[in-house]
């Protein structure tokens, strides 16, 4: 449950569509009187129910619907969030990827206070997109010629497009946030921030020796060779590990492995690990670094990358979290680390 939660009269909404950004609504519970989590993801709603957190569930809209049917969506937002006094209401958004949080922020920024919390990978600054990928020509045409102008017209929001995990992703431009009077909050010590927040969130779950944060084939196939990822997973599966699958993904499982409920954030499970947390490029690894009694292991050197520049990008990204991350060079080294203790 969430400790120290206090009811109050001042209404605030935190629009949360991703697990890495859950740290923001969790942190707000200790500083504010009345927070409601807004999401269109069933796993986040399930987590809110599990932790007894106030929530508001929206349907999931794709970019086409948000661009072409904005009148209907504006009515839905107004009905879902019946704010009596916009000036006394605060809205918190948590990442730049264009989505429900973007349009709600644009809907209310002229009336209430809107804050953008920078805790996730900055998708506006990720590696350059392969503009002329033949398989993405139709996507690029729709995004640039159709959706982008309509989003600008309907919501007053400028978006650009980036390639994230091999997919074309619409992203909010930071200068558009500033133009619309959205307050930007930066966190210089992210690892310390995550530790301070998640150490106050308690869940009653079984402990495990090793936690495997599984970034599945569907998630990583555009970055690393599928065969090498499957080979690595086969090795890890034969050791004493419990899986943590990414939420909102297909579970690739069989009767021979153990795993935690997917709606539980990895950070809450890490509090119950005895030996090691192992993954590839998951941001949850930065949280495990605070616990000096366990190992934090990235297998970034144990898979074959399709594009060496993307490997360098992620290696630099996760290296910023701390100097104690272990990068085994061989499978034998990884096995020894997980068999320890």
């Amino acid at each position: 449950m969430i400790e120290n939660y206090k009811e109050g009269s001042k209404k605030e909404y935190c629009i949360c569509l991703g697990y890495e950004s859950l740290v923001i609504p969790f942190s707000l519970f200790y500083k504010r009187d009345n927070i409601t989590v807004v999401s269109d993801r069933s796993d986040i709603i399930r987590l809110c129910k599990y932790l007894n957190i106030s929530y508001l569930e929206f349907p999931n809209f794709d970019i086409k619907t948000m661009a072409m049917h904005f009148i209907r969506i504006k009515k839905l937002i107004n009905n879902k969030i019946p704010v009596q006094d916009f000036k006394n209401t605060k809205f918190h958004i948590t990442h730049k990827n264009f989505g429900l949080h973007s349009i709600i922020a644009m809907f209310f920024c002229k009336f209430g206070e809107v804050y953008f919390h920078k805790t996730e990978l900055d998708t506006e600054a990720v590696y350059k997109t392969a503009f002329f990928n033949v398989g993405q020509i139709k996507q690029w045409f729709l995004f640039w010629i159709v959706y982008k102008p309509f989003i600008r017209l309907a919501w007053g929001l400028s978006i650009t497009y980036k390639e994230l995990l091999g997919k074309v992703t619409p992203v909010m431009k930071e200068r558009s946030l500033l133009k619309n009077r959205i307050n930007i909050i930066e966190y210089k010590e992210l690892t310390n921030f995550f530790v301070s927040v998640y150490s106050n969130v308690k869940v009653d779950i079984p402990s495990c020796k090793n936690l495997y944060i599984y970034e599945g084939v569907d998630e990583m196939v555009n970055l690393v060779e599928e065969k090498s990822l499957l080979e690595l997973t086969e090795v890890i599966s034969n050791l004493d590990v419990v899986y943590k699958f990414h939420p909102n993904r297909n579970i690739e499982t069989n009767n021979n492995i153990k795993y935690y409920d997917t709606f539980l954030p990895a950070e809450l499970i890490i509090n119950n690990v005895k030996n090691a947390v192992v993954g590839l490029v998951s941001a949850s690894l930065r949280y495990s670094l605070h616990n000096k009694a366990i190992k934090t292991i990235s297998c970034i050197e144990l898979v074959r990358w399709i594009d060496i520049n993307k490997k360098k990008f992620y290696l630099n990204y996760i290296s910023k979290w701390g100097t104690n991350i272990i990068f085994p060079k061989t499978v034998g080294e990884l096995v020894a680390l997980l068999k320890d203790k």
Side-chain angles (χ1 to χ4, degrees):
M1 63 176 291
I2 296 288
E3 297 179 351
N4 301 326
Y5 176 74
K6 297 179 292 184
E7 291 288 349
S9 57
K10 193 170 185 179
K11 194 68 176 178
E12 298 193 34
Y13 295 91
C14 185
I15 306 161
C16 187
L17 309 185
Y19 263 59
E20 186 178 350
S21 56
L22 275 171
V23 69
I24 299 304
F26 283 169
S27 71
L28 293 174
F29 275 98
Y30 308 105
K31 302 174 183 177
R32 306 290 194 265
D33 295 325
N34 194 354
I35 302 291
T36 296
V37 173
V38 179
S39 188
D40 61 5
R41 284 182 50 169
S42 59
D43 46 5
I44 290 179
I45 298 301
R46 186 179 175 191
L47 177 66
C48 288
K49 293 177 180 179
Y50 178 77
L51 295 175
N52 196 28
I53 296 173
S54 175
Y55 67 90
L56 182 61
E57 186 172 9
F58 268 76
N60 182 273
F61 299 118
D62 59 20
I63 188 171
K64 177 181 178 180
T65 302
M66 289 186 282
M68 310 302 290
H69 302 284
F70 52 88
I71 294 177
R72 174 165 61 89
I73 294 178
K74 285 182 177 180
K75 289 181 179 179
L76 177 64
I77 293 173
N78 201 32
N79 291 332
K80 279 274 189 177
I81 308 179
V83 182
Q84 302 301 320
D85 186 355
F86 293 161
K87 293 182 179 179
N88 291 325
T89 302
K90 294 182 179 180
F91 294 86
H92 304 270
I93 59 177
T94 52
H95 56 269
K96 284 185 179 178
N97 289 12
F98 177 79
L100 172 69
H101 61 294
S102 314
I103 60 176
I104 291 179
M106 293 302 107
F107 189 83
F108 286 108
C109 66
K110 294 180 177 61
F111 309 103
E113 297 177 56
V114 180
Y115 296 86
F116 168 55
H117 300 260
K118 297 180 73 170
T119 60
E120 295 195 350
L121 171 66
D122 188 352
T123 46
E124 191 178 4
V126 298
Y127 40 78
K128 293 181 180 180
T129 305
F131 265 87
F132 299 106
N133 184 322
V134 175
Q136 296 175 346
I137 289 178
K138 182 179 179 180
Q139 284 181 292
W140 281 113
F141 175 81
L142 288 172
F143 282 155
W144 284 107
I145 307 301
V146 181
Y147 302 150
K148 180 181 171 70
F150 274 88
I151 293 296
R152 183 70 177 268
L153 177 66
W155 305 103
L157 180 64
S158 295
I159 56 177
T160 186
Y161 302 96
K162 294 289 182 176
E163 182 186 336
L164 187 64
L165 298 178
K167 298 178 181 178
V168 178
T169 302
V171 176
M172 296 187 294
K173 291 184 179 180
E174 190 160 310
R175 66 172 181 264
S176 182
L177 301 181
L178 292 170
K179 182 179 178 180
N180 286 281
R181 299 187 303 162
I182 291 177
N183 304 281
I184 297 178
I185 301 176
E186 298 196 42
Y187 297 84
K188 294 182 179 179
E189 298 292 338
L190 274 176
T191 298
N192 293 336
F193 175 58
F194 271 69
V195 170
S196 66
V197 171
Y198 279 106
S199 60
N200 288 307
V201 185
K202 311 298 181 183
V203 292
D204 184 16
I205 58 175
S207 61
C208 67
K209 179 177 180 179
N210 299 300
L211 179 67
Y212 180 25
I213 301 177
Y214 180 63
E215 289 139 313
V217 173
D218 292 342
E219 186 84 2
M220 302 301 298
V221 71
N222 293 303
L223 297 179
V224 303
E225 292 183 15
E226 180 177 343
K227 183 179 179 181
S228 70
L229 183 60
L230 292 174
E231 289 171 347
L232 175 66
T233 299
E234 180 67 21
V235 170
I236 295 176
S237 297
N238 289 321
L239 300 170
D240 187 0
V241 300
V242 179
Y243 276 62
K244 170 62 180 82
F245 292 100
H246 272 199
N248 204 32
R249 305 288 194 277
N250 293 325
I251 298 179
E252 303 164 35
T253 184
N254 56 54
N255 295 327
N256 298 322
I257 66 171
K258 296 179 290 185
Y259 58 94
Y260 288 100
D261 284 325
T262 56
F263 74 88
L264 290 172
E267 288 79 4
L268 300 186
I269 301 172
I270 288 169
N271 292 335
N272 298 276
V273 175
K274 297 178 180 179
N275 180 52
V277 177
V278 58
L280 196 58
V281 297
S282 173
S284 298
L285 295 177
R286 83 176 151 213
Y287 177 70
S288 64
L289 281 172
H290 85 283
N291 189 341
K292 306 303 181 183
I294 64 174
K295 309 178 191 75
T296 297
I297 304 170
S298 169
C299 298
I300 199 169
E301 299 286 359
L302 299 180
V303 292
R304 294 184 293 276
W305 289 75
I306 296 172
D307 185 340
I308 194 64
N309 289 323
K310 291 177 181 177
K311 174 186 175 181
K312 291 178 180 177
F313 175 86
Y314 279 104
L315 186 60
N316 179 63
Y317 171 58
I318 63 180
S319 294
K320 292 179 180 178
W321 302 334
T323 58
N324 296 323
I325 300 179
I326 303 171
F327 298 96
K329 303 293 186 182
T330 67
V331 170
E333 184 182 349
L334 173 65
V335 171
L337 289 166
L338 297 181
K339 283 186 174 181
D340 195 16
K341 291 189 179 180

